[in-house]
Amino acid sequence: MYDYDLLVVGSANADLVIDVERRPTAGETVLGGDLAVHPGGKGANQAVAAARLGARTALLGRVGDDGHGRLLLDSLRAAGVDTAGVLVGGAPTGVALITVDPSGDNSIVVSPGANGRLAPRDVRAAAPLVHACPVVSTQLEIPLETVVEVVRNLAPGSRFVLNPSPPRPLPSEVLAACDPLIVNEHEARVILDDARLGEDPEDWAHLLLAEGPRSVVVTLGAQGALVCDGSGARRVPSVKVDAVDTTGAGDAFTAALAWKLGSGAALAEAAAYAARVGAAAVTKRGAQESYPTAEEVGAL
Ligand code: RIB
């Protein structure tokens, strides 16, 4: 029996969000709406999304000893995330500067701050926590060597889920552990050699699978997702909703998928549920504040 359903190892950021009519080009200034400050970061977002769905969730991360760090700890605890693994201090809390356009699409610049100080030794020190979870999920707003250390410290039989965002080339040791590797088109193009890629997501999934992961999920926004493992590729539909803000929807998708896989669902079934969670998340503003409960997903 595990103590938790899911451990997320990853970032926590204060999201500084401004609505804009359009993004500025180089050298240009545009006026936007009022500044909003939300709890975010791909790791904290995943943890909050899973906890809100009902998963027993813990986060291993690092925030600064500052107001943004307290904002994040408050949000995590309010959602029911176990924050005993969230280290405090060493650098200011990570910050994400986000613009959201009228279609709900965003652009993000992240200053990692304390996330960049989450070190391999922090993973080794948290080995009992890592071993207390059947599924461990990470992203790339923390140092890659820390993600490698997570892979090296997994308990036998536990499952490793990676959303390589922001994307960078990955060592084969990490790729081989992924079950699944979860990417959008942009991430797929970075992980693979862009020149090899055509326009068919099924080809991307097969090329990614050939790099070593046990399974691959390609997210396709409003078009749903594509799941691929040794038994072949399958399309998973999305739910049609009116998008207000897509920020953090991918994190909610990953968290829901990871939790469902840990509770025994097949990959396509878990991805179909995750697509509903991601769809619900785009209907509200912000990242963590937009995440649905299981009841809200059921009503979608
Ligand atoms: O995926 C969305 C997240 O990316 C935001 O919450 C922001 O913090 C950045 O990490």
Side-chain angles (χ1 to χ4, degrees):
M1 181 61 185
Y2 290 100
D3 294 342
Y4 302 95
D5 299 313
L6 176 68
L7 171 66
V8 180
V9 184
S11 60
N13 297 327
D15 288 355
L16 311 187
V17 185
I18 301 179
D19 288 339
V20 291
E21 279 303 311
R22 62 176 182 81
R23 292 184 187 85
T25 55
E28 186 187 18
T29 301
V30 299
L31 295 177
D34 290 343
L35 176 72
V37 182
H38 299 289
K42 296 179 195 304
N45 290 352
Q46 284 189 14
V48 166
R52 198 157 287 163
L53 291 170
R56 295 171 303 153
T57 309
L59 176 67
L60 174 58
R62 185 179 285 276
V63 297
D65 186 7
D66 50 29
H68 287 157
R70 288 185 280 282
L71 170 79
L72 283 150
L73 286 167
D74 286 349
S75 177
L76 288 158
R77 288 171 184 150
V81 176
D82 188 321
T83 58
V86 179
L87 307 165
V88 178
T93 299
V95 168
L97 302 180
I98 303 179
T99 53
V100 180
D101 73 17
S103 74
D105 283 335
N106 61 60
S107 298
I108 304 179
V109 178
V110 172
S111 167
N115 300 305
R117 303 326 198 260
L118 188 69
R121 68 173 173 281
D122 297 325
V123 175
R124 290 192 291 276
L129 180 60
V130 178
H131 289 176
C133 305
V135 185
V136 181
S137 180
T138 73
Q139 333 72 35
L140 296 184
E141 288 182 337
I142 56 173
L144 183 56
E145 56 266 30
T146 304
V147 174
V148 171
E149 197 62 26
V150 171
V151 168
R152 291 180 181 165
N153 281 271
L154 290 171
S158 67
R159 194 161 186 156
F160 178 69
V161 174
L162 174 65
N163 170 222
S165 179
R168 55 187 289 186
L170 295 171
S172 55
E173 181 181 9
V174 170
L175 283 165
C178 294
D179 192 14
L181 176 75
I182 304 173
V183 294
N184 62 19
E185 174 176 353
H186 171 64
E187 291 148 8
R189 288 188 183 279
V190 174
I191 304 291
L192 295 164
D193 178 1
D194 205 11
R196 289 159 62 194
L197 281 196
E199 294 302 317
D200 185 354
E202 200 167 321
D203 289 343
W204 314 339
H206 285 296
L207 285 167
L208 286 164
L209 200 64
E211 298 285 321
R214 297 176 205 176
S215 57
V216 170
V217 176
V218 180
T219 58
L220 302 168
Q223 274 70 54
L226 188 81
V227 302
C228 189
D229 57 17
S231 64
R234 261 180 81 179
R235 281 264 183 180
V236 171
S238 183
V239 185
K240 202 169 161 18
V241 290
D242 290 326
V244 173
D245 181 357
T246 58
T247 308
D251 306 327
F253 177 97
T254 297
L257 181 84
W259 172 50
K260 282 287 176 190
L261 288 173
S263 58
L267 185 59
E269 181 194 346
Y273 182 78
R276 297 176 72 83
V277 174
V282 306
T283 62
K284 294 184 189 154
R285 288 186 180 278
Q288 294 172 23
E289 292 105 319
S290 73
Y291 294 156
T293 62
E295 291 70 34
E296 289 166 335
V297 178
L300 200 64

